Amino acid sequence: MVDRLDTILFAASKACCSPLAIFIQIQGYIICLVLALGWACAAYVRNREIRRLKENTRSGNSFAFLCHDISELEHSNQVNLPRVSVVMPLKGFGEHNLHNWRTQITSLYGGPLEFLFVVESTEDPAYHALSRLLADYKDNLDAQIIVAGLSTTCSQKIHNQLVGVEKMHKDSKYVLFLDDDVRLHPGSIGALTSEMEKNPEIFIQTGYPLDLPSGSLGSYCIYEYHMPCSMGFATGGKTFFLWGGCMMMHADDFRTDNHGLVSQLRDGGYSDDMTLAAIAGAHKRLITSPPVAVFPHPLASDLSFSRYWNYLRKQTFVLESYTTTVNWIMNRALFSSHCYLSWGFVAPYLLAGINVSAALRYYYKGYSPKDTAFTDTGLLLASCLTVCTTVELLSMWNLTRIEVHLCNLLSPEAPQLSLASYNWFLVFIAMLVDNFLYPVSAMRSHFSQSINWSGIRYHLKNGKISKIDRPKGKGPKFTDLGGKRLYGKKGGQPTASLFYTLTRSLVQWRQPKKFDV
């Protein structure tokens, strides 16, 4: 048996040193180094913003985290700020929602600001939790909870967003769509609005989350999944990427159905950001992402691997939705390239594992160098992969470190974030797991053409939602990332002290007032 095992390992290791195998491994090195370069460029953009903040602070601007020029905080400037409507579609209630909502409603934006929280029904636990929270701010906040009802022609999230837009103030100049897992900085709304005012050509402004893993492999897989995408959002300006968790747009674009964006969202729309990005591309409209638009995104402490898989399924399913033929071609290109690069990233590690195993086996068995000369080639290839992986992980660590530092500067009164909790061995494992599973998830999404999103099953046909199935009973109890509870007691208040305790536990957290500045 031992001889047979040696023979198999010998043949496998020799195959790993063939020209094709060497090409695959070199391709893996290139992928690692390209990722490292991309993260280095993103780190440069974020770090440039850190230097600007520090220089402004040294120059006497104690509110550099709010604006570049302290004179912008003068009353004569503040009274002329445009009205902004914040629309937030909600589904379920989780451990981080209260803190996230507080960072949003306590914004230090000095202009007129309204918050429209949109839920599917009063049975949603978010409705009761939010009602208690807003009661604490009723004298200092323009906010309302809107019950949107069930969607029939588009995803529930898009339906909630469009209902919120219909209810926004008639004088609102901008509308800001936020997900309930976005943790804003005090100056985030002001920074986004300022950029819109400077450049009226901007169609959409967006940002991106900085994942804070909770310790489970699933949470690290999500962190690793988001990190390559972060390159496209760290441009400090024009980008082709769009994240649905933070999108600021002109309110009149919705009032007039500019470019048919309302009708395209409403009539079969599944993904808000993919649909809007396709419209922007088709009409050559500008999407930007300012360097300060990076938001802490704590993941659920009990985020299991199955929830990560469900999240990945939803992400790959997005590429099955489209609005035009050109959009379909682009999605197919993304689908193909991502699958190819994902497995192209994983394959070299498999080959390197075989090479190292063979070398150790032959060394242990005492084979002569003459019999195992090819293992030297295998070890050289494995060593090169180790170096490239180290460079990649260092670049990822550096970008994360800089983004953590930037978030701490932009939210000086919040608890300071730290890299101390990051487990970089799990990050490496997550890189392999996530890139191996992505093509599997993408293939399944392609052939199924249906997805379960927060207990609702959507079916696509020709890139649009054609059918919506809602279970007669209750579906999944929790959502994926935030571990949010999806259902409460029908027609009544939730369990007596659950939300009350959670709300009151944060009541001592200082409420910033816009008049403090």
Side-chain angles (χ1 to χ4, degrees):
M1 175 63 75
V2 174
D3 292 338
R4 185 178 180 184
L5 177 62
D6 288 345
T7 301
I8 294 173
L9 193 57
F10 181 89
S13 181
K14 192 171 184 178
C16 290
C17 296
S18 67
L20 177 60
I22 292 175
F23 170 77
I24 292 173
Q25 293 178 77
I26 292 176
Q27 178 181 256
Y29 309 157
I30 294 173
I31 293 174
C32 287
L33 295 177
V34 168
L35 286 171
L37 178 61
W39 285 324
C41 292
Y44 171 78
V45 172
R46 302 293 192 195
N47 197 44
R48 185 175 58 191
E49 187 64 19
I50 290 175
R51 292 197 300 269
R52 185 195 63 78
L53 287 170
K54 290 182 176 180
E55 288 172 2
N56 285 349
T57 301
R58 286 194 295 269
S59 299
N61 182 4
S62 302
F63 299 101
F65 64 96
L66 293 179
C67 56
H68 295 184
D69 185 354
I70 196 170
S71 65
E72 295 176 17
L73 298 177
E74 294 179 357
H75 178 72
S76 58
N77 291 322
Q78 295 284 295
V79 294
N80 293 320
L81 290 175
R83 175 179 286 274
V84 177
S85 293
V86 180
V87 175
M88 189 192 306
L90 304 179
K91 179 73 172 181
F93 178 76
E95 60 183 292
H96 300 297
N97 281 136
L98 276 176
H99 186 62
N100 295 341
W101 294 338
R102 284 180 183 271
T103 65
Q104 293 163 4
I105 63 179
T106 56
S107 169
L108 293 181
Y109 179 65
L113 187 63
E114 68 170 347
F115 294 88
L116 305 172
F117 298 92
V118 191
V119 296
E120 175 186 304
S121 72
T122 56
E123 293 181 40
D124 194 315
Y127 177 85
H128 303 291
L130 189 59
S131 297
R132 291 178 180 273
L133 177 65
L134 295 185
D136 292 337
Y137 295 89
K138 60 183 179 181
D139 297 328
N140 302 291
L141 187 67
D142 180 4
Q144 59 177 308
I145 305 175
I146 300 170
V147 178
L150 302 179
S151 64
T152 57
T153 62
C154 59
S155 68
Q156 188 65 47
K157 178 184 179 181
I158 290 177
H159 175 70
N160 288 9
Q161 289 173 324
L162 294 179
V163 170
V165 166
E166 291 175 358
K167 302 293 184 180
M168 68 181 174
H169 196 282
K170 62 181 179 63
D171 294 328
S172 289
K173 186 174 183 179
Y174 303 112
V175 56
L176 174 61
F177 296 105
L178 293 177
D179 281 354
D180 60 0
D181 55 0
V182 173
R183 186 167 291 184
L184 289 185
H185 306 294
S188 292
I189 297 178
L192 293 170
T193 305
S194 177
E195 292 298 319
M196 297 289 280
E197 289 289 280
K198 291 177 184 176
N199 186 2
E201 295 300 315
I202 294 176
F203 183 53
I204 309 174
Q205 257 197 119
T206 188
Y208 204 64
L210 167 62
D211 289 325
L212 306 175
S214 58
S216 66
L217 178 59
S219 67
Y220 278 102
C221 284
I222 290 169
Y223 163 76
E224 190 282 329
Y225 175 81
H226 283 157
M227 282 304 289
C229 302
S230 66
M231 302 174 196
F233 292 87
T235 61
K238 182 179 179 180
T239 181
F240 298 101
F241 297 87
L242 184 59
W243 178 53
C246 174
M247 303 184 298
M248 177 173 276
M249 303 180 65
H250 294 270
D252 281 343
D253 284 341
F254 286 89
R255 295 188 181 105
T256 62
D257 193 16
N258 190 22
H259 305 312
L261 62 88
V262 172
S263 54
Q264 291 197 48
L265 287 169
R266 182 187 59 231
D267 301 334
Y270 168 74
S271 169
D272 53 337
D273 48 13
M274 290 293 285
T275 301
L276 291 172
I279 292 172
H283 296 276
K284 304 295 188 295
R285 297 301 306 274
L286 180 62
I287 300 175
T288 65
S289 182
V292 295
V294 54
F295 310 107
H297 181 217
L299 300 172
S301 58
D302 59 347
L303 199 154
S304 64
F305 193 80
S306 62
R307 289 188 196 167
Y308 152 71
W309 171 250
N310 289 334
Y311 175 77
L312 185 62
R313 283 275 290 113
K314 289 192 298 185
Q315 296 303 301
T316 56
F317 189 75
V318 164
L319 295 179
E320 299 303 314
S321 64
Y322 56 89
T323 57
T324 64
T325 301
V326 172
N327 188 209
W328 177 83
I329 293 173
M330 292 183 64
N331 284 1
R332 293 279 66 79
L334 284 172
F335 174 95
S336 302
S337 60
H338 201 154
C339 288
Y340 178 82
L341 292 173
S342 290
W343 276 352
F345 176 85
V346 173
Y349 292 95
L350 176 61
L351 299 178
I354 294 174
N355 285 327
V356 172
S357 298
L360 291 175
R361 180 74 177 174
Y362 297 154
Y363 176 80
Y364 175 75
K365 295 289 289 185
Y367 285 91
S368 67
K370 180 181 177 181
D371 297 329
T372 59
F374 64 89
T375 58
D376 293 338
T377 302
L379 287 177
L380 177 61
L381 292 170
S383 299
C384 291
L385 181 61
T386 301
V387 172
C388 292
T389 302
T390 302
V391 171
E392 179 189 19
L393 286 172
L394 284 173
S395 185
M396 182 189 293
W397 167 82
N398 184 54
L399 174 59
T400 306
R401 175 186 65 85
I402 288 173
E403 289 188 338
V404 163
H405 187 27
L406 178 58
C407 286
N408 286 335
L409 291 176
L410 293 172
S411 294
E413 294 188 1
Q416 297 294 279
L417 307 178
S418 171
L419 277 179
S421 62
Y422 283 73
N423 184 326
W424 294 98
F425 174 73
L426 276 181
V427 170
F428 171 69
I429 298 299
M431 288 166 59
L432 298 180
V433 171
D434 182 63
N435 281 285
F436 175 77
L437 289 179
Y438 183 92
V440 177
S441 176
M443 293 295 182
R444 183 174 176 184
S445 296
H446 177 68
F447 289 108
S448 68
Q449 291 294 297
S450 69
I451 191 71
N452 188 311
W453 185 2
S454 298
I456 305 172
R457 181 160 292 276
Y458 298 101
H459 301 264
L460 293 185
K461 184 177 181 181
N462 297 325
K464 299 282 190 179
I465 289 178
S466 61
K467 182 181 178 183
I468 301 175
D469 290 333
R470 289 183 170 84
K472 294 181 181 179
K474 290 182 177 178
K477 192 174 183 179
F478 298 97
T479 57
D480 306 322
L481 298 190
K484 296 184 292 183
R485 187 175 295 273
L486 295 177
Y487 304 102
K489 289 186 177 181
K490 187 174 181 178
Q493 292 293 326
T495 304
S497 60
L498 174 61
F499 300 123
Y500 180 82
T501 301
L502 290 171
T503 304
R504 293 299 173 182
S505 68
L506 291 172
V507 77
Q508 294 182 351
W509 186 51
R510 180 182 179 274
Q511 178 195 356
K513 303 285 197 305
K514 60 181 66 178
F515 306 107
D516 288 347
V517 293

